[in-house]
Amino acid sequence: MKLTQEQQDMLDGKYGKGTQYAMKIQVAIGESFKAEKMVPITRAHVALSNQEADLWFAEKLLNSGAKCRISPTVNPGFCLSFFTEKNMVNEEDANLMQRTHNAYKGLGAVLSYNCTPYIDTNVPNYGENVAFSESSATPYVNSVWGARSNREGANSALCAAITGYVPEYGLLLDENRKGSILVEVQAEMKTPFDYHILGMMGKKIGKGIPVFIGLPNHISKEDLRNLGAQLNTSGAYDMYHIVGFTPEAPTLEAAFGGKEPVRSVIITDEDLKEELNSISLEGNRQIDFAMFGCPHFTLEEVKHIANKIEGKKLQKEMWILTSSHVKEMSDRMGFTEIIEASGGTIVPDTCPDQPCWGHLKGKVGVTESPKCAYYPQKRGIHFVIRDLDTCIEASLTGEVK
């Protein structure tokens, strides 16, 4: 790659060992993808991990003197104060979370602990070059905002934040942002849950950049969040287009760059029904808990739950995972009080794929998110997947249809 003098100085160690280490990794990534040069970024998001390998990497950079030029927002681990106070996490895991907090604080990250920064705390403008990791974040910033990011890993995004640069390849280039698969949606798309299941059709859609037609004129931020999150659960999709809706797809011709699609796919109501049946435990059973917020729930979704359960008593635990921003707004607006009076809990800064949920091992919950159901399986936690209102009703009755 051709490097500027500043970039070469970083690589040569003139900005310190930590920055040198980060630039070495960025250059190696660029050479792997035959990038010709590096380009500056304006934003970053790191899919922070409080697991030992990623923590080792963050601490190595910190101890080598690295500081973030671009302060990145970060993914959730678990809310240390909440789970230690409730005695729901052991000392070893609490220590890892505290060390992770200290490392990213020292590096200069924005300690947002939120997996949906693209909705309200780290929103890029059209055409910005950014470095976003997190499975729901990359398709959202590329597709919905028209910013440009490759599907960074947690470590490459952190290196980008430290150096302020990324190698120019992949979705940073115009020619790689065009659609390749025409996806005609004939299914009725009425709720955010439908977009969860549409996103789980990755096996049928296949490899490439999907271009969706047949979707409603109004698509909410929750719909779009769900679609991208599940596309990256069922496959590996850095970007998609919705004709007449997303910024780089005003027309079908623009979405495909004037070329013909490589493949055409039709998605029907029957397809969505079959997919749901294949990924969910069977219904008509007792449940032990409900969990929502993978990706993190919005304030509107918290309000919806509060309205549904106000004045009622939950029969089973309900965990609602949000950003600290949404939790604070819920406190201010009285939603937290309503939900807690019914027996539910809003938990900020926390992911379902964490050791803090050990008390749920061997139990069966309900969730509206296939992603939420997917990751905790390795921890022995299993789910029936249903639309949000059905899950809320299950929490009130103790059983799901």
Side-chain angles (χ1 to χ4, degrees):
M1 285 194 302
K2 296 178 182 178
L3 301 181
T4 66
Q5 187 60 54
E6 181 186 48
Q7 292 160 4
Q8 187 64 52
D9 287 346
M10 288 185 187
L11 188 61
D12 291 342
K14 293 183 180 180
Y15 288 84
K17 289 185 178 180
T19 300
Q20 181 184 35
Y21 190 43
M23 181 55 84
K24 280 183 177 181
I25 292 172
Q26 291 294 82
V27 169
I29 292 170
E31 290 176 346
S32 297
F33 286 96
K34 296 181 171 53
E36 295 182 1
K37 63 180 181 178
M38 310 279 283
V39 292
I41 61 166
T42 50
R43 299 173 187 272
H45 177 74
V46 176
L48 166 152
S49 168
N50 50 307
Q51 298 178 25
E52 289 182 355
D54 281 352
L55 176 56
W56 170 86
F57 183 76
E59 288 181 334
K60 179 178 176 67
L61 289 169
L62 177 65
N63 294 334
S64 300
K67 284 280 187 180
C68 291
R69 288 188 164 201
I70 305 296
S71 295
T73 49
V74 295
N75 252 33
F78 62 86
C79 182
L80 190 58
S81 59
F82 178 88
F83 287 99
T84 52
E85 181 182 334
K86 300 288 186 182
N87 197 28
M88 294 172 66
V89 65
N90 65 40
E91 185 177 350
E92 180 181 358
D93 290 324
N95 181 55
L96 285 173
M97 189 67 242
Q98 185 64 61
R99 284 172 55 198
T100 300
H101 174 88
N102 294 343
Y104 279 88
K105 181 180 179 180
L107 288 166
V110 176
L111 301 177
S112 53
Y113 297 128
N114 170 222
C115 59
T116 58
Y118 47 81
I119 287 180
D120 47 26
T121 58
N122 193 0
V123 180
N125 294 310
Y126 179 84
E128 280 189 64
N129 287 328
V130 301
F132 272 53
S133 51
E134 212 295 313
S135 57
S136 74
T138 306
Y140 205 105
V141 299
N142 278 312
S143 308
V144 179
W145 298 130
R148 299 189 170 206
S149 178
N150 285 311
R151 193 183 184 205
E152 301 287 352
N155 295 334
S156 65
L158 180 55
C159 289
I162 289 168
T163 62
Y165 293 99
V166 289
E168 188 180 43
Y169 72 95
L171 291 178
L172 303 189
L173 302 172
D174 289 344
E175 60 268 25
N176 296 327
R177 297 177 64 84
K178 306 303 180 183
S180 55
I181 309 162
L182 179 62
V183 183
E184 181 181 351
V185 182
Q186 295 181 358
E188 283 193 271
M189 305 296 292
K190 295 181 178 179
T191 71
F193 180 69
D194 298 320
Y195 289 84
H196 271 309
I197 308 306
L198 176 62
M200 289 301 294
M201 299 302 299
K203 186 175 182 180
K204 183 169 184 177
I205 292 170
K207 185 178 180 181
I209 296 180
V211 176
F212 293 96
I213 60 173
L215 292 174
N217 291 329
H218 175 73
I219 307 173
S220 71
K221 61 180 178 292
E222 291 84 6
D223 299 333
L224 296 163
R225 174 205 61 196
N226 295 350
L227 177 60
Q230 306 311 336
L231 282 170
N232 266 335
T233 302
S234 66
Y237 297 90
D238 310 328
M239 186 172 183
Y240 60 83
H241 298 288
I242 300 173
V243 175
F245 185 86
T246 51
E248 294 172 69
T251 65
L252 197 63
E253 182 180 16
F256 284 104
K259 298 180 180 180
E260 292 296 313
V262 173
R263 183 170 59 261
S264 296
V265 177
I266 294 174
I267 306 294
T268 65
D269 285 318
E270 188 60 31
D271 289 323
L272 299 188
K273 182 179 178 180
E274 289 179 5
E275 181 62 27
L276 177 58
N277 289 338
S278 72
I279 60 177
S280 171
L281 291 183
E282 290 185 8
N284 298 314
R285 67 196 303 159
Q286 295 285 318
I287 56 104
D288 300 303
F289 67 97
M291 183 174 285
F292 310 124
C294 183
H296 277 166
F297 258 23
T298 63
L299 185 64
E300 289 83 356
E301 288 170 312
V302 173
K303 178 181 178 180
H304 179 82
I305 294 173
N307 288 339
K308 286 284 185 179
I309 67 175
E310 185 171 11
K312 303 174 183 177
K313 284 294 182 182
L314 300 174
Q315 297 300 308
K316 301 295 179 179
E317 297 177 14
M318 178 186 286
W319 303 97
I320 306 167
L321 313 183
T322 72
S323 66
S324 55
H325 167 72
V326 168
K327 174 60 165 60
E328 173 65 24
M329 292 302 296
S330 299
D331 292 349
R332 292 184 187 184
M333 298 176 70
F335 303 147
T336 303
E337 184 179 2
I338 291 169
I339 288 167
E340 289 182 349
S342 294
T345 307
I346 303 175
V347 185
D349 303 343
T350 301
C351 174
D353 186 19
Q354 286 288 319
C356 56
W357 302 111
H359 79 287
L360 299 179
K361 184 176 181 180
K363 295 185 177 182
V364 173
V366 289
T367 185
E368 39 54 78
S369 168
K371 184 178 180 182
C372 183
Y374 178 78
Y375 287 106
Q377 291 181 79
K378 65 186 179 185
R379 301 182 187 276
I381 307 169
H382 300 281
F383 289 88
V384 177
I385 304 170
R386 293 291 185 267
D387 65 273
L388 180 57
D389 284 349
T390 300
C391 291
I392 294 170
E393 184 64 23
S395 298
L396 289 166
T397 64
E399 58 184 26
V400 65
K401 295 179 181 179

